Structures are given as C-alpha cells and as structure tokens.
Amino acid sequence: MEYTNAPGHIYDIQGYAVHDGPGIRTTVYTKGCPLKCLWCHSPESQRHQFELGYLPLKCLGADLCENACIKACPEGAITRDAPSKLMGKDQMVEKIKIDRAKCSGCLKCADACITQSLYTAGWNTTVDEVYTRLMKDVSFFENGGGVTISGGECMAQFDFTLNLCKRLKDSGIHICLDTTGFAPTAQYGEIMPYADLFLYDLKHMDSYHHKKLTGVPNELILDNARFLARNGAALQVRYPMIPKLNDSAENIRATAEFCKELGDAVQLVQLLPYHKAGRTKYERLGWRYRLTNVEPPPESFMEKALEVFKALELPCQIH
Ligand code: SF4
Ligand code: SF4
C-alpha cells in the first residue's frame, strides 16, 4: 500500500499499554489538540509546540552543574531557588526556578541540563521512524493487541496519522485511533478503512456545557460518531465522569441513549471515573491545575451510572 513518510510531532510512545483498546498495545501520543478539557491528564499534549518541563527532584543544584541552565537561558528566566535537599541526601543545594512569563520556549536550557531535570516534552519524527520503533513490540501484539494512536488529538496531525495507519495496516497490525471526534468528517471517512477500532470520547451531551468544559461545542463530535457508526466503523465509547461537571442524571441518561442510537457500532462503553493522576504534570510545566477541589467519584456512584447503560443493553464497564 502506498504511503507517504509524513512528518509528525509526538510526545511519547508507551509499550505494554493495557487500557488503550484490546490486548497488549503500544500507544503513540501525538501532540496538539483542539480541545482543552478542564480535567486533561496530559497537559503536555495540548499544544503543538514543544513544552519545557522541570522536575526539581532530578536537579543537582546550580553549583554542581556550574549554572548550566542559567547560563544557557538568553532571557534571564532561570534563577537560583532557595536551598532545598538533594534527593536521597542531607545535602542542601540551590535548585532553580523558572519565570514562565519571561520564557520564550527556546528550550536551550533543556539541552544544557545534563540530568534532564529540565526536559522537552515532545519531539519531531516521521512515519518511518515511529513505524520502526513500533515494530520492535510486534511480539506483544499477538492475542489481539496492536497499536493505538492517541494524543492530544491524533486527527489534528492528519497526514502523519493516516500514513502511519497505512504503513501499520500493510503489516497486519490491529489499529485503534483514540479521538475526541473533533475533526472534519471527510477525514474520518478517509482514515476509516485503516482503523480497526475508534476509541471515541463523549464528554457532555449538551453543546453549551461541552463548550464550557472543553472549549469546543459538541455538534461535530456527535455527527462524526453517527457518521462512523452508519458507515460500519467499530466504536469503543469513553465517557470520563467528572463530579458535578458532567455526571448529572440527565447527562448520564442522554449519553446512554446516544450510545444506543449508534447501534451495533458500539462494541463497548467505558465509564471512566475522574482521577488526579495528571496533576503533577501541570506543576512540571508551570501551569495551573483548575480542578483542585474535585475528588474521584465513589464506586457506588459509578455502579449506579453503569446500571443506566446496562438497562439499555449496552455492552459497558467501569474503566
Ligand atoms: S526555554 Fe525558557 S527558560 Fe529555557 S532557556 Fe529558553 S527562555 Fe530560558
Ligand atoms: S536544572 Fe539541570 S542544569 Fe539547571 S541546575 Fe538543575 S541540574 Fe543543573
């Protein structure tokens, strides 16, 4: 099958993924997403540009590395912080702090940092490069696993994702696309023959609330789900349940009814309870986490929500 060695930018490739579709999978995380969900647990995925991350635990202190990052910064955005303990030792060192308002994102400091305490979230790549990496995991894909292309929003880098799918399909690899549904319908039509399963998010059935939570309305997302279902695609619907934001009885019922409307295309509905796992990533990027007062929903609540989906005879599970 003809494909193009299209360029792309990604921020991670993770092997042995067991929550990104059937079997054991390797997941490619593309950068850039048109949505900005309040609960996003991968903030480094949101922008197309590469981010500067800082992990203070790994920092040796500015004395030991002779101010490497401070000297590398052309904007004077990095200065010494108050003394704190070096990891695993009693020794006090002066680590660094970044004035994000001054930072231009040149990433010179990350190049200068030998411990990778300062790091770049994301890198440029190509279809061939990613394919070669993925094929190292091919033995894990037996018994129903494969590759999942996630994000960010993988459809936001359409040429890269489409051509990676073509290349993988040629090798008989099972492909999942993890998508927000927010991309042109024609692109879903074009990529559909190469995707075995769409992991498809439904975040709120009311467009006004959807926009408040994610930054975009939901009409295109719902239309694309209908389009995919009508044209024979397989869908695994994912409903992230965020207390007080999208877990009203009305929204749970509307989501279940919409899944029912999609018919046999829906192979599974997953109710995903809110979790706080991504919170520290915001600190590393110097971003503010906006859901500080939200706690994961109790199991009993999730079970009750699941009953609504079961009542409509939908294949469904929590997680
Ligand atoms: S990325 Fe920001 S902090 Fe780092 S060297 Fe460039 S301007 Fe300075
Ligand atoms: S961030 Fe890196 S370069 Fe800067 S002081 Fe710490 S270890 Fe040294």
Side-chain angles (χ1 to χ4, degrees):
M1 186 183 311
E2 274 193 26
Y3 77 97
T4 308
N5 185 22
H9 40 286
I10 64 177
Y11 69 94
D12 206 359
I13 297 178
Q14 275 184 18
Y16 219 81
V18 291
H19 297 295
D20 295 335
I24 296 171
R25 315 190 68 81
T26 297
T27 302
V28 180
Y29 293 91
T30 59
K31 248 182 103 46
C33 183
L35 277 67
K36 304 283 174 279
C37 302
L38 292 178
W39 55 89
C40 177
H41 57 262
S42 303
E44 72 276 39
S45 74
Q46 290 185 2
R47 300 199 289 209
H48 283 276
Q49 74 202 64
F50 302 147
E51 311 288 350
L52 173 68
Y54 175 51
L55 272 167
L57 268 182
K58 288 172 88 178
C59 177
L60 296 175
D63 280 337
L64 270 166
C65 62
E66 298 178 340
N67 296 314
C69 56
I70 296 172
K71 284 192 267 188
C73 179
E75 310 295 340
I78 304 180
T79 51
R80 289 182 177 226
D81 205 352
S84 60
K85 269 194 183 170
L86 195 58
M87 186 170 62
K89 308 221 170 18
D90 285 334
Q91 188 186 348
M92 298 295 278
V93 294
E94 287 182 9
K95 298 184 182 182
I96 55 127
K97 55 185 174 186
I98 306 163
D99 183 343
R100 297 274 177 175
K102 285 186 182 169
C103 175
S104 64
C106 72
L107 303 172
K108 287 180 179 161
C109 55
D111 286 343
C113 178
I114 46 162
T115 63
Q116 293 184 319
S117 174
L118 286 161
Y119 64 94
T120 306
W123 69 90
N124 288 315
T125 187
T126 61
V127 166
D128 283 350
E129 209 172 85
V130 173
Y131 173 82
T132 304
R133 161 64 191 85
L134 292 170
M135 293 312 280
K136 288 184 183 162
D137 292 353
V138 80
S139 58
F140 295 114
F141 303 158
E142 288 160 14
N143 304 322
V147 167
T148 297
I149 310 177
S150 181
E153 169 52 65
C154 61
M155 297 289 284
Q157 293 187 52
F158 184 66
D159 281 349
F160 173 75
T161 301
L162 175 67
N163 284 290
L164 182 58
C165 286
K166 285 182 178 176
R167 187 106 214 249
L168 290 165
K169 198 78 190 161
D170 246 358
S171 303
I173 306 291
H174 182 277
I175 302 166
C176 284
L177 290 186
D178 181 4
T179 181
T180 62
F182 197 79
T185 307
Q187 291 185 346
Y188 284 103
E190 204 176 333
I191 210 164
M192 228 180 69
Y194 311 103
D196 297 286
L197 180 66
F198 287 86
L199 307 181
Y200 205 96
D201 287 3
L202 293 178
K203 300 170 203 267
H204 206 299
M205 292 306 296
D206 178 89
S207 193
Y208 171 80
H209 286 107
H210 194 280
K211 189 165 183 191
K212 275 183 81 171
L213 299 176
T214 70
V216 303
N218 71 3
E219 285 84 358
L220 178 64
I221 294 167
L222 302 184
D223 282 351
N224 282 335
R226 291 186 187 103
F227 170 84
L228 288 168
R230 214 172 39 242
N231 287 285
L235 302 176
Q236 187 165 318
V237 173
R238 295 170 144 194
Y239 174 10
M241 299 197 67
I242 321 297
K244 295 199 171 64
L245 297 184
N246 69 353
D247 67 343
S248 68
E250 191 188 355
N251 192 49
I252 292 169
R253 198 178 51 251
T255 307
E257 283 167 1
F258 182 73
C259 291
K260 190 71 186 172
E261 180 195 324
L262 298 176
D264 292 341
V266 176
Q267 302 204 333
L268 182 64
V269 182
Q270 289 179 283
L271 306 189
L272 307 175
Y274 167 75
H275 61 78
K276 302 176 175 184
R279 229 178 245 210
T280 52
K281 293 185 185 173
Y282 284 77
E283 286 164 24
R284 288 183 211 161
L285 298 177
W287 293 13
R288 188 170 66 88
Y289 185 72
R290 290 172 289 176
L291 299 188
T292 42
N293 295 323
V294 177
E295 294 297 323
E299 218 176 296
S300 55
F301 181 87
M302 295 299 299
E303 292 290 350
K304 224 172 127 189
L306 193 67
E307 289 305 319
V308 178
F309 289 81
K310 281 184 182 166
L312 293 181
E313 297 176 346
L314 285 157
C316 54
Q317 66 183 44
I318 298 169
H319 291 293

